Amino acid sequence: MSQDRPLLGILLMIGFCVVAPMGDAVAKLLGETQPLGPLLLFRFAVQTILLVPLVWLTGRAWRLSGRLLRLAALRTFLHIIGIGMMFSALRYLPLADAVAIAFVMPFILLILGRYVLGEEVGIRRLSACVVGFIGTLLVIQPSFAEVGWPALLPLGVAVNFAFFIMVTRQLAPHTDPIGLQAASGFMATAVLLPLLLILQPLDFGLTDFVAVQGTEAFLLFAIGALGTVGHLLMTWSLRYAPSATLAPIQYLEIPVATLIGLLIFDDLPDDLAALGIVITCAAGLYVVMRERAIARAQPKTHEPLQPIPPEV
């Protein structure tokens, strides 16, 4: 794996910061007419359709067995739940608010590292986590007052993806990242399709297949294509630049989400939410800088904070 072209890695990460909110915006648009179940199915089915041929043509390994298969299945389950919660949140919240709240994930990951994995986390990073949580509460408060408990869904996304990253770290040294994503898409599709068919007669309102026309059909393909491209951009960015270099870049996703939300939905965070976004970003960037400093001081024993995986 080459990490000697940092400019290319940064450009690829900037591409991810544009593509990921676009995928969220498509999910928000489709959420107005399409139930959650079919959205999830199309998200992973398109991922499978795009990546399995790529894996086959490039000769990448994607078949798993034993412990790796069990970890991949757990990772896929977490991925389905995380994306499902994000899609649900986007039905109620402005795009920028939902994305910003999900950025509490690095703080959750640090706390899990300390209290679950026994990693050493200093007082300054813990203090930054507290500040970041306060900023996130400021973002949540106006939305919670307006829509109630759905405002907490992005917080659930953050917790879910913290565990998702912990599982991914166990798999990463032993799998090809694109092959793993192809396998994940295949497993998710193989689970979701029969599950939706079984649950549809029960009329939950989440599993019905609604007829689509023209633009909606394109958007359903786009929701999977953007998620897949976003993942590839992040994966390729890490081939050319260290994660400590790329992690600060990913905070561009929040202003990009704000701009897309303004252009498509005419949404802007209110003053309190905007203040919370600034506080959350500042605390997150401080944590990233501390991780980078520690990584330089202990290059063989400390792994820098990984960027957040794609939400879509």
Side-chain angles (χ1 to χ4, degrees):
M1 182 173 294
S2 173
Q3 291 191 341
D4 58 356
R5 301 173 67 183
L7 179 58
L8 178 57
I10 289 171
L11 290 175
L12 290 168
M13 180 56 74
I14 291 174
F16 165 78
C17 291
V18 174
V19 169
M22 288 175 61
D24 288 333
V26 171
K28 186 172 178 65
L29 285 170
L30 287 171
E32 297 174 359
T33 57
Q34 293 292 323
L36 177 61
L39 287 185
L40 288 173
L41 176 62
F42 275 95
R43 164 62 182 83
F44 287 103
V46 172
Q47 175 178 312
T48 305
I49 292 169
L50 293 177
L51 289 186
V52 169
L54 177 63
V55 168
W56 182 74
L57 290 172
T58 57
R60 297 173 181 272
W62 71 299
R63 295 181 180 178
L64 305 168
S65 60
R67 176 176 175 270
L68 294 181
L69 179 59
R70 292 190 293 273
L71 286 173
L74 174 59
R75 180 181 182 274
T76 299
F77 173 77
L78 292 171
H79 205 181
I80 294 172
I81 297 300
I83 291 179
M85 286 192 292
M86 190 65 177
F87 284 2
S88 298
L90 290 168
R91 295 172 185 263
Y92 301 96
L93 304 182
L95 181 61
D97 288 13
V99 171
I101 294 169
F103 265 78
V104 76
M105 192 275 291
F107 312 131
I108 295 172
L109 196 59
L110 275 181
I111 292 172
L112 288 175
R114 173 166 180 165
Y115 294 106
V116 177
L117 301 180
E119 296 176 352
E120 183 177 350
V121 179
I123 186 64
R124 283 186 284 185
R125 282 183 292 164
L126 285 177
S127 299
C129 288
V130 173
V131 173
F133 277 117
I134 291 172
T136 302
L137 291 175
L138 293 178
V139 181
I140 291 175
Q141 194 278 331
S143 297
F144 188 83
E146 183 175 348
V147 303
W149 69 266
L152 301 178
L153 283 169
L155 191 59
V157 173
V159 174
N160 180 277
F161 273 114
F163 284 102
F164 176 89
I165 284 188
M166 293 175 70
V167 175
T168 301
R169 285 178 174 173
Q170 298 296 313
L171 282 162
H174 311 288
T175 58
D176 176 85
I178 297 177
L180 175 61
Q181 198 68 357
S184 179
F186 180 82
M187 286 190 287
T189 304
V191 169
L192 287 170
L193 180 57
L195 184 63
L196 293 184
L197 293 175
I198 292 171
L199 294 179
Q200 188 174 9
L202 300 180
D203 194 24
F204 285 134
L206 299 176
T207 59
D208 296 336
F209 288 89
V210 178
V212 298
Q213 299 176 353
T215 302
E216 277 196 333
F218 171 77
L219 291 177
L220 283 170
F221 177 81
I223 201 172
L226 289 169
T228 303
V229 171
H231 174 84
L232 292 177
L233 287 170
M234 174 173 282
T235 299
W236 288 332
S237 72
L238 290 167
R239 292 179 63 89
Y240 299 108
S243 60
T245 299
L246 298 174
I249 305 299
Q250 194 172 2
Y251 280 84
L252 287 173
E253 188 178 342
I254 295 178
V256 171
T258 302
L259 178 61
I260 292 175
L262 175 62
L263 294 176
I264 298 179
F265 305 104
D266 198 26
D267 283 335
L268 272 178
D270 65 14
D271 292 342
L272 187 61
L275 175 62
I277 289 173
V278 171
I279 292 173
T280 301
C281 288
L285 289 171
Y286 176 80
V287 168
V288 169
M289 295 302 104
R290 284 297 302 161
E291 289 282 328
R292 179 184 292 180
I294 293 171
R296 282 199 296 262
Q298 302 174 341
K300 296 182 179 180
T301 60
H302 185 84
E303 180 183 356
L305 185 68
Q306 294 289 344
I308 301 172
E311 292 85 359
V312 299

